[in-house]
Amino acid sequence: MENVPSQKSAVAYLYPPVDPFDQRILEVGDGHKVYVEQCGNPAGIPVVVLHGGPGGGCSPAMRRYFDPAKYRIVLFDQRGCGRSRPHASVVANTTWHLVADIELIRITLGIDRWIVFGGSWGATLALIYAQSHSGSVAALALRGVFLMTQGELDWFYGGGAGRFWPDLWQRFVQLVPEDERGNLVEAYHRRLFSGDMMTETKYARAWAQWENALAAIDSDGRVGESPADYARAFARLENHYFYHNGWLDADHQILARTDRLARIPGVIVQGRYDMICPPLSAYTLAQQWPLAKLTFVGRAGHALSEPGISAELVRAMDGFAADRTRLGL
């Protein structure tokens, strides 16, 4: 069975559920208050979990990728989503605000260096944070790599993924007038920030549904509607970041700065059939980052909850725990 992880559910590979020993609301400035929690061993290896989206929020399942006897697990909801407030707000909400928030959390909790764990947008943010604060990062664990490039956005919002899911793509596109379909990120942006709550919710649910339907390899495309509050925060924040190209100075900024990762070991876990973040990004990153180990999971898509991906991530974090001394943690 260990050779065919897809025959088990993801939870079979995870550690048992664990409750936080610390929960707090941290004022990060600009009127934003960010939810932060800590789980596991207060004297353990510090690891911070960066959720996807932007706007996805953290969940209790994310605590379970780490041995609670060995890790001090830090999770937080990024600005505008989850339990952070103001909800669904894009004011003073950029990549660089989030990078500053991560550093503030580290300093507030008295952590010298930590492992950074992130998937999808969380992988993007982890890379940008590590390139900005390399001295704070002992190692990176990434899943479903997204490099915040126009090519990746064109794939998912310009018809690339739609060639595999034409029925769902048509449902996503048909909500927009034909003369606006040349730039769906911009077209949805107008409606997600229209000021009319019913319109925003309608388009937020459609935005979230398109992504959720393609996340897992075994998806049949049928997903229910997300709760209105969640969908609105998720779609508004994600669209806001993509509309502004992540506030990066250049399209391939992350790849252009891989020299800043030269001394940071990393693990990249990538679903071979990831429809949301195609594997080329993970492969290209690994080619330019000598201390990174890339593992392709053969029968997996994008979702964190896929069995093969969960198995590899837990294995990676167990490996980092065994190397605590070498990592200087």
Side-chain angles (χ1 to χ4, degrees):
M1 291 291 288
E2 290 301 319
N3 293 325
V4 192
S6 60
Q7 293 183 12
K8 289 185 178 180
S9 67
V11 295
Y13 298 97
L14 304 184
Y15 283 95
V18 59
D19 293 324
F21 64 79
D22 173 48
Q23 293 174 289
R24 64 181 77 187
I25 299 295
L26 180 65
E27 295 195 14
V28 295
D30 311 302
H32 284 275
K33 298 180 180 180
V34 168
Y35 170 82
V36 182
E37 68 175 41
Q38 299 187 77
C39 310
N41 181 354
I45 302 166
V47 58
V48 61
V49 179
L50 306 183
H51 65 70
C58 60
S59 70
M62 295 178 184
R63 306 166 183 163
R64 301 178 60 187
Y65 288 80
F66 319 94
D67 184 341
K70 297 179 180 178
Y71 277 101
R72 177 183 178 184
I73 310 153
V74 180
L75 295 90
F76 73 100
D77 291 329
Q78 295 161 28
R79 294 189 182 203
C81 67
R83 288 152 286 189
S84 296
R85 294 294 180 268
H87 189 69
S89 173
V90 299
V91 176
N93 195 337
T94 72
T95 304
W96 304 109
H97 286 103
L98 300 187
V99 167
D101 291 350
I102 298 168
E103 266 297 90
L104 179 60
I105 293 169
R106 182 187 66 80
I107 293 167
T108 301
L109 298 181
I111 294 170
D112 181 29
R113 295 165 71 243
W114 52 8
I115 297 172
V116 183
F117 178 103
S120 194
W121 160 253
T124 319
L125 185 57
L127 287 163
I128 295 170
Y129 171 74
Q131 291 175 344
S132 303
H133 298 280
S134 59
S136 302
V137 180
L140 288 168
L142 310 178
R143 183 267 312 170
V145 169
F146 175 59
L147 299 177
M148 196 63 248
T149 65
Q150 189 60 49
E152 291 165 310
L153 293 177
D154 288 344
W155 162 262
F156 200 64
Y157 297 106
R163 295 186 179 188
F164 289 84
W165 293 87
D167 48 342
L168 302 190
W169 175 247
Q170 178 60 27
R171 187 171 66 193
F172 181 62
V173 168
Q174 68 184 3
L175 293 178
V176 174
E178 283 193 39
D179 61 352
E180 294 185 56
R181 293 177 187 176
N183 189 331
L184 287 174
V185 172
E186 184 176 311
Y188 267 79
H189 185 82
R190 294 190 188 99
R191 291 153 179 85
L192 290 169
F193 296 92
S194 66
D196 178 78
M197 186 65 73
M198 289 185 65
T199 298
E200 291 182 4
T201 301
K202 173 184 175 180
Y203 282 87
R205 281 177 161 155
W207 180 279
Q209 193 171 50
W210 165 240
E211 184 165 330
N212 291 339
L214 273 63
I217 193 171
D218 61 355
S219 172
D220 61 4
R222 291 179 292 183
V223 292
E225 285 192 338
S226 300
D229 284 349
Y230 172 84
R232 187 167 172 270
F234 176 81
R236 279 167 56 92
L237 267 65
E238 191 168 83
N239 178 277
H240 169 67
Y241 273 73
F242 296 167
Y243 181 78
H244 292 282
N245 298 106
W247 288 271
L248 301 185
D249 294 331
D251 190 44
H252 288 83
Q253 178 171 315
I254 293 174
L255 291 176
R257 297 182 179 182
T258 49
D259 60 304
R260 302 185 183 192
L261 307 174
R263 298 183 179 181
I264 301 175
V267 171
I268 304 170
V269 177
Q270 180 72 36
R272 178 68 76 176
Y273 300 100
D274 190 332
M275 280 285 162
I276 297 174
C277 297
L280 179 61
S281 293
Y283 180 78
T284 305
L285 175 65
Q287 292 293 104
Q288 296 184 204
W289 179 14
L291 292 185
K293 177 187 176 184
L294 170 62
T295 298
F296 283 117
V297 180
R299 183 174 170 77
H302 183 72
L304 172 64
S305 60
E306 300 211 46
I309 289 177
S310 289
E312 288 297 335
L313 287 171
V314 170
R315 185 177 295 116
M317 298 313 300
D318 287 348
F320 281 143
D323 285 344
R324 180 175 189 172
T325 301
R326 183 175 64 84
L327 293 173
L329 294 170

